[in-house]
Amino acid sequence: MAGGIKTWPENERPREKLLRRGAPALSDAELLALIIRTGDSVTGRSAIDLGRALLQECGDLRTLAGATVSELCAVKGMGTAKAASIKAVLEMASRVNSERLMICSERFTSPEQVYNHYHYAFRDRRKEYFMALLLDGKNRIMREIQVSEGSLNQSIVHPREVFNPAVRESAAAVILVHNHPTGDPAPSREDLEITRRLREAGDIMGIKVLDHIIIGDGRFTSFVSAGLL
């Protein structure tokens, strides 16, 4: 339909359509239009035109969720404010889908518990993120530490980056967690070597490495379950 959304028949406008028929009745482009809110006067694109352009560029919402602000702004008519709104909403959706660990109250009982917490947050990340969960003597999760961002190597995942916070917090144990952007959670040679070094450092310091969990796309690898730790 030509012109801005306000010129459309009322029953075709995304907001009115949602209020009348519910959110599931809207297409992905219409949902994006509600987040974007306004079109672009320079290009003449309506909010729904911008939503369609974003989907055409990214392919689907999941790929869109992994796009950077710069990549979103590369679509003509998109600005930083619109891009920030999209990133905020998609981050909220990721958090809703994650089973959040209750810091200071929830006990670690299984690698599935950690996977459920991190899966939606990590599955579309284009970089590797290495995390450490600090646990007390009762295996209750005390704190979450981001150790590094980027491809794993021994220089950025150093024992001091993991165990300095653990010592400060008087942690009894740690769980190592990182993601594989490829979606395949099979441990690499680097993963095995880093885990060995961290386990040895933990043994010296009296802080046990309980597990190393690699998050992939819809699946994970637990070093303990796989007999690697």
Side-chain angles (χ1 to χ4, degrees), residues 51-214:
R52 288 169 179 157
L54 286 168
L55 290 171
Q56 184 175 5
E57 182 69 24
C58 295
D60 53 34
L61 288 176
R62 182 169 172 184
T63 305
L64 179 64
T68 65
V69 169
S70 296
E71 288 170 336
L72 296 179
C73 289
V75 173
K76 289 184 178 180
M78 288 291 296
T80 54
K82 289 180 172 64
S85 294
I86 290 173
K87 293 296 292 182
V89 169
L90 292 174
E91 174 60 22
M92 286 176 64
S94 174
R95 295 184 186 187
V96 167
N97 279 316
S98 297
E99 292 186 19
R100 307 303 292 176
L101 292 171
M102 299 298 291
I103 304 299
C104 298
S105 64
E106 186 166 348
R107 291 185 70 247
F108 170 72
T109 57
S110 70
E112 288 83 5
Q113 177 188 19
V114 175
Y115 168 76
N116 289 335
H117 173 68
Y118 284 108
H119 176 222
Y120 285 99
F122 278 175
R123 69 177 185 177
D124 296 319
R125 298 286 179 92
R126 299 180 183 180
K127 297 180 181 179
E128 291 191 19
Y129 292 81
F130 195 98
M131 314 293 294
L133 296 177
L134 310 185
L135 290 83
D136 65 15
K138 295 183 179 180
N139 279 4
R140 291 180 301 192
I141 298 162
M142 301 165 57
R143 190 178 170 194
E144 171 187 80
I145 304 292
Q146 180 173 315
V147 177
S148 70
E149 174 182 340
S151 298
L152 293 191
N153 60 60
Q154 295 183 32
S155 63
I156 64 173
V157 184
H158 192 278
R160 66 173 172 267
E161 305 302 328
V162 174
F163 292 106
N164 279 352
V167 170
R168 288 196 302 268
E169 299 287 339
S170 299
V174 299
I175 299 170
L176 311 174
V177 186
H178 84 279
N179 65 306
H180 278 181
T182 62
D184 181 1
S188 67
R189 181 185 59 80
E190 196 79 21
D191 295 336
L192 295 169
E193 177 60 21
I194 287 170
T195 305
R196 182 190 64 77
R197 294 175 69 242
L198 292 175
R199 183 193 63 211
E200 291 175 352
D203 289 343
I204 293 171
M205 303 184 72
I207 300 174
K208 184 176 179 60
V209 175
L210 288 184
D211 204 347
H212 184 175
I213 298 165
I214 302 177

Side-chain angles (χ1 to χ4, degrees), residues 209-228:
V209 175
L210 288 184
D211 204 347
H212 184 175
I213 298 165
I214 302 177
I215 309 295
D217 186 359
R219 53 203 174 112
F220 68 95
T221 293
S222 159
F223 273 53
V224 169
S225 298
L228 299 173

